[in-house]
């Protein structure tokens, strides 16, 4: 009996030992959840033993490699930053007297009102095709009385100019545009619309319309909104009110260009960039045209002569200060507002994308902040 008892106990011990588990074995590293970078990352999680298998194709350079905005309040330490943690900025329109602005997120279609030390306030959302999104935003020529805003957007129904009125959904005023990049500007009491190449009579052109979408007086063809044609992939349009001169940037397979716009054909470029830095938005300071170049991560200052040509080489300013700047506009108080597009790339900063308000850069390559 003793021998049988001993054999039975031994067998039970073997079974218990073979089924035991030890919770202290295996990886126990704590890592932050991938919600952002730095101290604003999400709560910790236990890292998995092996990475999960991919569920789709590897994202390309323009797809969603960018990190999500940080959790919690978005605070940028730069005092010049007015708003941060936005989607890539498609356009900026400064509100009078100059301390606030309307900002369009290109891919989301949101139009936000931003000012220093305050959270952005959404005033409208435009239903956009994210491949193009919003590429133009201006205040009505009579904004002080009508409070209207106009946007240029690519939508499921093609490119459109839409009017935003307080408390109302966006309403199209000009349709039939190509679903491509472009820009908006105000020319006196009229709107300038820049469209990219595509199908239809309004493609690849500078259009001049009234605020109801009708051809403006003085166009080469009174029945057509086309002021000038010959564009391929425009990045922006701006007007010098002192000289009544319109400038438009364009990107071609061989070079980037800046045109001085006249009625009819665009003619020869006023300036070219054979290195193709990706010219986008532009604005005009007294005696200077400012062109944003996201690829160069800088603004370029050009000095036009009386005949529309330029003297000397363009001067880069703010190189690398805010990364890829896609939008630049001058406020009524003379300051510049910039919008970045770093989240279109592969290495955005923790608080990108941002809207920045600065003093106009000087010609010496430094910002007069």
């Amino acid at each position: 009996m003793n021998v049988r008892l001993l054999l039975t106990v031994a067998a039970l011990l073997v079974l218990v030992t073979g089924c035991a588990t030890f919770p202290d074995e295996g990886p126990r590293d704590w890592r932050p959840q991938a919600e952002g970078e730095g101290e604003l990352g999400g709560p910790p999680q236990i890292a998995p033993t092996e990475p999960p298998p991919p569920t789709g194709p590897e994202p390309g350079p323009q797809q969603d490699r960018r990190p999500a905005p940080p959790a919690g309040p978005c605070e940028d330490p730069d005092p010049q930053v007015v708003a941060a943690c936005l989607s890539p900025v498609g356009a900026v329109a400064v509100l009078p007297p100059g301390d606030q602005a309307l900002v369009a997120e290109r891919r989301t279609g949101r139009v936000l009102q931003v000012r220093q030390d305050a959270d952005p306030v959404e005033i409208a959302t435009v239903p956009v095709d994210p491949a193009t999104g919003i590429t133009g935003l201006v205040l009505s020529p009579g904004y002080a009385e009508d409070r209207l805003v106009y946007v240029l957007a690519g939508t499921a129904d093609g490119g459109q100019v839409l009017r935003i009125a307080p408390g109302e959904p966006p309403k199209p005023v000009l349709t039939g545009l190509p679903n491509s990049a472009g820009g908006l500007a105000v020319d006196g009491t009229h709107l300038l619309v820049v469209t990219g190449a595509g199908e239809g009579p309004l493609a690849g052109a500078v259009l001049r319309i009234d605020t109801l979408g009708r051809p403006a007086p003085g166009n080469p063809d009174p029945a057509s909104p086309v002021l000038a044609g010959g564009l391929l992939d425009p990045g922006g349009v701006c007007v010098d009110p002192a000289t009544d001169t319109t400038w438009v940037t364009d990107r071609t397979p061989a070079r980037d260009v800046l045109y001085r716009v006249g009625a009819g054909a665009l003619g020869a470029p006023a300036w070219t960039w054979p290195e193709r830095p990706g010219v986008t938005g532009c604005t005009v300071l007294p005696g200077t045209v400012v062109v944003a170049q996201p690829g160069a991560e800088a603004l370029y200052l050009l000095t036009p002569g009386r005949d529309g040509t330029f003297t000397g080489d363009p001067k880069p300013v703010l190189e690398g200060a805010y990364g890829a700047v896609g939008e630049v506009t001058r406020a009524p108080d003379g300051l510049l507002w910039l919008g970045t597009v770093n989240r279109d790339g592969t290495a955005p900063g923790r608080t990108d994308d941002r809207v920045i308000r600065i003093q106009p850069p000087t010609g010496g390559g430094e910002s007069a902040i």
Side-chain angles (χ1 to χ4, degrees):
M1 288 295 291
N2 292 337
V3 173
R4 291 180 182 176
L5 180 59
L6 290 174
L7 290 175
T8 302
V9 171
L12 289 173
L13 287 174
V14 170
L15 288 174
V16 172
T17 304
C19 295
T21 60
F22 298 91
D24 288 337
E25 291 181 350
R28 299 292 294 176
D29 293 333
W30 292 89
R31 298 183 184 177
Q33 184 179 0
E35 293 286 344
E37 299 176 359
E39 69 277 5
L40 296 181
Q45 288 185 332
I46 298 177
T49 304
E50 295 181 357
T55 58
E58 177 71 10
Q62 297 301 318
Q63 296 179 1
D64 288 340
R65 292 181 183 271
R66 57 194 183 278
C74 183
E75 298 180 359
D76 192 290
D78 189 331
Q80 312 305 322
V81 172
V82 178
C85 299
L86 305 176
S87 178
V89 176
V92 177
V94 183
L95 297 169
D99 60 338
Q100 301 184 54
L102 300 181
V103 176
E105 292 183 321
R106 190 179 70 247
R107 284 197 292 263
T108 68
R110 294 197 307 164
V111 179
L112 309 171
Q113 184 168 339
V114 301
R115 63 182 177 88
Q116 199 82 42
D117 300 323
D119 292 335
V121 177
E122 182 175 326
I123 68 163
T125 297
V126 179
V128 298
D129 175 357
T132 303
I134 296 179
T135 59
L137 174 69
V138 294
L139 306 182
S140 163
Y143 180 80
E145 289 78 29
D146 59 32
R147 299 299 182 190
L148 299 177
V149 178
Y150 292 85
V151 299
L152 174 64
T155 75
D157 298 319
Q160 301 181 350
V161 177
L162 302 101
R163 181 181 66 237
I164 299 175
E168 298 182 10
K171 297 179 180 178
V173 297
L174 181 64
T175 60
L177 308 179
N179 221 347
S180 57
L184 272 179
V186 171
D187 176 17
T189 59
H190 299 100
L191 303 179
L192 292 173
V193 186
V194 173
T195 66
E199 298 182 356
L202 305 184
V206 180
L207 313 178
R208 190 165 173 263
I209 60 174
D210 65 15
T211 55
L212 298 178
R214 301 171 300 195
N219 287 355
D221 179 355
S224 170
V226 175
L227 176 65
L231 296 173
L232 291 177
D233 185 20
V237 58
C238 51
V239 177
D240 184 351
T243 62
D244 198 26
T245 302
T246 298
W247 303 95
V248 61
T249 63
D250 197 14
R251 298 162 293 215
T252 77
R255 57 187 180 175
D256 289 351
V257 299
L258 177 67
Y259 289 110
R260 182 178 184 180
V261 179
L266 288 171
W271 194 266
T272 65
W273 289 269
E275 66 276 20
R276 300 177 64 206
V279 293
T280 52
C282 65
T283 194
V284 179
L285 301 174
T288 303
V289 178
V290 183
V291 177
Q293 297 185 359
E297 296 190 350
L299 301 178
Y300 276 75
L301 310 184
L302 300 97
T303 305
R306 293 181 178 275
D307 59 354
T309 60
F310 292 95
T311 58
D313 292 334
K315 298 177 181 180
V317 296
L318 298 179
E319 291 182 281
Y322 296 104
V325 176
E327 177 68 12
V328 55
T329 189
R330 186 187 181 205
D333 59 7
L335 299 186
L336 290 183
W337 288 66
L338 318 176
T340 70
V341 290
N342 290 309
R343 299 180 80 78
D344 279 340
T346 58
R350 184 181 61 83
T351 59
D352 280 320
D353 270 302
R354 297 176 286 176
V355 175
I356 301 107
R357 181 186 183 214
I358 63 169
Q359 292 182 12
T362 66
E366 298 291 338
S367 174
I369 294 176

